[in-house]
Each structure stands twice: as C-alpha cells, then as structure tokens.
Amino acid sequence: MSVGIVGYGAYVPRYRIKVEEIAAIWGKNPEDYKKGLKVAEKSVPGVDEDAATIAVQCARNALDMTGIDPQNIGAVYVGSESHPYAVKPTGTIVAEAINATPELTSADYEFACKAGTAAMQVCMALVKSDMIEYGLAVGADTSQGRPGDALEYTAAAGGAAFLIGKDPLVEIEHTCSFTTDTPDFWRREGQEYPRHGARFTGEPAYFRHVISATKLLLDKTGTSINDYDFVVFHQPNGKFPLKAGKRLGIPPEKMLPGLLVNKIGNTYSGATPLGLAAILDQAEKGDRILATSFGSGAGSDSFALKVLKKIENPHPVKKYIENKKYLNYGEYVKHRRKIKM
Amino acid sequence: MPHRKSLGLVWRRIPQRYRLMGTKCFTCGSHFFPPRPWCPKCRRKGKIEKHKMKGRGKIHSYTIVNVPQQGFDLEVPYILAIIELLEGPKLTAEITNTEPEHVSIGMPVKMVFRKISEDGDSGIIHYGYKFEPELKE
C-alpha cells in the first residue's frame, strides 16, 4: 500500500508590504533589491496571527478537503522557526484546535526553513510502519528580519499542512536528505533577529544542499529531470531556485507554478510546502513532482511525488495570494511588534 | 508574577474557544453556545450532548471599538459583533481580516482561529475564535 498526501491545506496572511516601502525607509534603491532578490512584495501577518494560528488554518483547510475524522490522526508535528513559545509546543495547540486530541503524539520541529518537510518525512515513516493511521505535518512561520537588513525585504509569513496516510491522492514515491553542519544562518537563544553569512548562504549552503539532495533523489529513484512535470525548491528569493534549477537542467516552466516568493516573500518553513500546495492545485492525475526544501544550518529534504487521483475541493493557494491589503512601513512595524510600548 | 487570568479557567474553556464546542439537546434539537449542561425547554426530559458548531453564521449586529481595553491597543479600530451561528445560538466575537467599512449586518462570516490576548511578555497566550468575511473561491 502506497503512502503519501491524503489532503493538504495552505494559508497566507492577507497583509503585504512592497519592496519600495521598505527601501524608502532605509534610503536604498528599491530596483536594486527587486532585481537582486526578484521579490516585489512580501506577506505580513495580522496583529492577531502567529505561527500557531497559521498552522491551525492550514490544518483545517487540509482536513476540509478529506472528510477524515480528526480523531484518527495519530501525530501532529509543526515545523517553524517562529514558534510562539520557547517552551510549550505549537503542536498541542493545533491538535486541540482541530479536535485530534488526546490519543496522539506531537512535537515541534526546528530546522530553519526545512522543519515542515522534516515533519512530512516523520509522518510518512510512522504511517508506513503502521504506528499511526494519519499524520499531520505542518510548516508555518512568521519570520522576522532585523530592520534595515537584507532579510527584511523577504522575511514573510505563511504555511501549508499535509495529511499523510495510506491510499493517498499523491504518493510520496521516495524521500531522502542531505545534511551537514554549515553555519550560514542562525539565531541564538533569546535573540530577536537572526544573523546570516550574506554570500556564504549561497554556494556552500543553499546550492550545495539543494543540488546534492536533488541529485541523490534522482540517483536513488533512477529517474531524471525529464520524468517530472513540476519542480519546487526552497525559495529564499526569486533568484536562487531558478539558478539551482538551471544547473540541474530544469526548464523554468516546470518551476514557475510553485515559485511564489516574488508575490509573498520567503515564508521559511512554509515556503517549499506552499510551493508544493500551489503545484498540487493545478496538477493532474499521473503528474510527477520533485520537491526539495532547504534549511540553513544546513540540510535539504528531497521528495519524488506522483499524483494518483484527481485532486478535488482544495482551498487554492491562489485565493490567499490574491486577497491582499497593502501596509505602509509604519503599519508594518506595528504588525510585527517592532514598536516598544 | 501573578497570572492575569486563572490557568484553570483558560484551560477548561479550550474546547469552546478553540473549536466552538457547544451542546445540543437531542430531545428538541436546540443548540447551545456557550455549552449549557441542561435544556431550559425540555428540562428533565432533555438529552444534552456535546456538539461542535460548524463555525459559520452571519453578523446580527456590530460596533466599532475605538477606545480599547488594555492589551488591545494594536487592533484599534476593531469590529466587535454579535454573530448568529447557522445552528441558532448568538455569540460575541471580533471580526478580523477586514476593515470597518466592509462590514454590514447580515454579512456571512466564518470562524477563524486567532490570538485573542497575551498575559504580558512572559505569560500565556490566549487563543480562540474570531470571525472573518467568507472569502470567495
């Protein structure tokens, strides 16, 4: 019996800020950032939203399309780098909100931007080993960049959830990972904002891990890029995923349906899951998808997926991307609680 | 530092705050939110059981809050409404994800899970229901 995605749900908060609005505050030329990062605007959470509320919305959307009794969910794992509590799981909040408690296991994951796909791998293993019937894996973030830092132009909010089980809509044919200790981006305990190695986040971090994990997956499955209809990579900006794709010989048209970063920014743990959800919204029975996440620190999880059934009744990602309200920088700092009161 | 709200009280209300868990009388079909332990119509003949509300309804009435109570300063102006649920009960909740000028009586709304308040920087975070306008697909 194959294991894979039986339902999925995504969510992007309604608020946006444009690159021009941020650049104007710091005396920078917005065109440099728009050209350099290939990002026009990013999503911003509402004042009453955090990684837990985003995770709940994603989980409810995933359940909505399945009709599965949440009491049959045996595991809830939430991956995020912006869990609302340092100690107290986000997973229990999500499990309670979707009525999956109390007979289940739960934990929070952290691995920079790839914690959501790590949660998918664990749910897949638990289902495959018959320890649980269904597992819920969520990647959700309300990421923060230090004011004035390059990260401020992209650090965004959003997420996606995948219900993993048997007899799936989308089979996970194979998954593998490529992981090393690479200090490209980090946030120390008690610190509000992360720090990063600027250009060091590129070659030794993003490109090495994404390309190696993808090649490893192709090797292990005996497939080539030509076997896949869609490809999604982690998208910290609009440039990196297409550049990695070019090196692997992936035509851009296979990547564009899952490339959301130019419209919503980098949603961190939500980024690869949201890109995958956007692809599933338009995928047809028989389509094959390759997905590779990246988390700083550093590692990549790669997935080979195949659509087995017609996907019906999703809450489309497009609906959330198109529903937007722009904020000025003052409103943005209020939303992100950067004003000391 | 003392807790602003009793942890026990917050914890007991999680089912109703997180997922609109109310009760239903299976004798007369009435729904109750917040949950009632007995049916005022059927009294001892009533058969009350837990029942999760669907989370959909319409705005019965609303007001705009410009002078907030402590802890709600970031949200001003915000919309506080009486929502009539599909099942019948009415409840008071904030309308989020929209602006006052887009709200009207009779507007269909849907329950969402949001942060309601926080016990300062180090206390617990209170989550619960708010409502938002139904998004067109």
Side-chain angles (χ1 to χ4, degrees):
Chain A
M1 177 74 81
S2 58
V3 171
I5 298 163
V6 296
Y8 66 94
Y11 178 75
V12 181
R14 173 177 175 243
Y15 303 96
R16 303 282 183 278
I17 185 164
K18 290 188 180 203
V19 162
E20 286 88 345
E21 190 66 34
I22 301 172
I25 297 297
W26 303 109
K28 305 280 186 184
N29 179 2
E31 294 311 315
D32 293 346
Y33 285 90
K34 284 170 91 168
K35 209 172 135 200
L37 299 168
K38 294 256 186 289
V39 171
E41 56 197 50
K42 68 166 190 172
S43 62
V44 181
V47 294
D48 54 0
E49 291 185 298
D50 60 19
T53 66
I54 290 172
V56 168
Q57 190 60 55
C58 297
R60 284 183 175 160
N61 286 349
L63 273 166
D64 253 9
M65 71 181 280
T66 64
I68 288 169
D69 181 354
Q71 285 291 311
N72 294 332
I73 294 172
V76 172
Y77 293 116
V78 182
S80 181
E81 61 110 77
S82 46
H83 290 291
Y85 289 94
V87 178
K88 200 208 161 295
T90 308
T92 55
I93 299 168
V94 175
E96 199 71 64
I98 60 168
N99 201 19
T101 55
E103 287 182 36
L104 84 163
T105 180
S106 181
D108 287 355
Y109 282 126
E110 278 188 27
F111 196 144
C113 299
K114 86 156 187 83
T117 56
M120 286 172 73
Q121 289 180 322
V122 176
C123 284
M124 183 188 170
L126 291 174
V127 171
K128 218 166 181 173
S129 61
D130 286 322
M131 284 178 68
I132 58 170
E133 189 178 354
Y134 296 108
L136 180 76
V138 193
D141 257 312
T142 54
S143 54
Q144 289 263 36
R146 184 181 296 279
D149 188 275
L151 279 180
E152 196 183 18
Y153 294 88
T154 54
F162 295 93
L163 260 170
I164 309 290
K166 288 184 177 168
D167 189 21
L169 288 173
V170 183
E171 181 185 359
I172 303 175
E173 296 181 301
H174 195 78
T175 178
C176 63
S177 300
F178 185 91
T179 310
T180 69
D181 188 1
T182 306
D184 60 315
F185 170 100
W186 63 91
R187 180 165 61 85
R188 291 276 299 275
E189 188 67 46
Q191 293 294 308
E192 199 170 346
Y193 300 111
R195 290 180 58 183
H196 56 85
R199 291 187 63 173
F200 188 74
T201 60
E203 286 306 327
Y206 181 88
F207 292 104
R208 181 181 177 213
H209 293 79
V210 168
I211 291 172
S212 302
T214 306
K215 280 185 174 167
L216 193 63
L217 185 91
L218 295 174
D219 260 7
K220 284 182 182 276
T221 52
T223 56
S224 76
I225 290 299
N226 296 335
D227 295 314
Y228 297 92
D229 303 282
F230 299 102
V231 180
V232 57
F233 287 164
H234 175 55
Q235 32 204 283
N237 54 56
K239 230 174 187 176
F240 277 21
L242 289 175
K243 197 170 162 189
K246 196 174 176 188
R247 287 196 201 166
L248 287 160
I250 304 167
E253 58 270 23
K254 288 191 178 183
M255 302 189 78
L256 293 176
L259 199 64
L260 312 174
V261 61
N262 58 329
K263 294 184 189 124
I264 59 171
N266 177 8
T267 53
Y268 283 53
S269 302
T272 307
L274 262 167
L276 177 57
I279 286 171
L280 292 178
D281 282 347
Q282 56 169 279
E284 290 179 0
K285 193 179 161 182
D287 282 350
R288 291 178 89 178
I289 303 157
L290 194 161
T292 305
S293 63
F294 171 73
S296 288
S300 281
D301 303 324
S302 199
F303 298 81
L305 305 118
K306 187 176 183 183
V307 182
L308 299 184
K309 299 175 190 171
K310 189 172 188 291
I311 295 171
E312 288 176 300
N313 308 321
H315 288 270
V317 179
K318 202 176 157 202
K319 173 182 81 172
Y320 291 114
I321 291 179
E322 287 173 358
N323 177 38
K324 56 186 176 184
K325 177 177 165 34
Y326 288 106
L327 303 178
N328 60 38
Y329 195 84
E331 290 167 322
Y332 163 73
V333 298
K334 186 178 89 167
H335 273 241
R336 296 312 344 249
R337 301 186 183 221
K338 292 174 199 276
I339 303 174
K340 297 292 170 213
M341 295 166 83
Chain B
M1 198 170 113
H3 299 292
R4 207 173 71 194
K5 288 177 187 161
S6 146
L7 290 179
L9 182 67
V10 169
W11 171 71
R12 275 197 295 281
R13 287 183 177 165
I14 279 178
Q16 51 172 292
R17 294 251 167 101
Y18 281 23
R19 51 180 195 265
L20 286 179
M21 191 60 87
T23 51
K24 179 180 175 180
C25 172
F26 281 80
T27 306
C28 69
S30 300
H31 293 80
F32 303 103
F33 190 90
R36 272 183 187 263
W38 60 280
C39 177
K41 293 178 197 158
C42 307
R43 301 176 75 91
R44 73 180 62 173
K45 285 179 188 158
K47 194 169 170 272
I48 285 274
E49 282 182 26
K50 282 183 188 168
H51 186 84
K52 186 178 166 298
M53 306 294 154
K54 286 193 173 75
R56 288 193 144 76
K58 59 182 184 187
I59 295 178
H60 176 78
S61 185
Y62 70 96
T63 186
I64 311 299
V65 179
N66 288 294
V67 183
Q69 60 169 317
Q70 201 182 351
F72 290 80
D73 319 71
L74 289 176
E75 300 193 40
V76 169
Y78 64 89
I79 309 147
L80 200 60
I82 297 171
I83 314 287
E84 185 179 342
L85 296 174
L86 277 184
E87 293 87 348
K90 293 191 188 80
L91 54 85
T92 304
E94 199 177 317
I95 306 292
T96 188
N97 237 6
T98 189
E99 289 70 45
E101 60 269 28
H102 299 132
V103 172
S104 59
I105 287 172
M107 186 180 193
V109 288
K110 178 179 105 174
M111 186 261 257
V112 288
F113 183 82
R114 293 298 176 105
K115 207 156 66 173
I116 308 293
S117 61
E118 297 169 26
D119 276 356
D121 288 337
S122 61
I124 62 162
I125 304 166
H126 304 280
Y127 293 98
Y129 55 79
K130 288 189 183 182
F131 284 74
E132 67 171 13
E134 290 263 18
L135 258 189
K136 289 187 189 95
E137 304 260 314

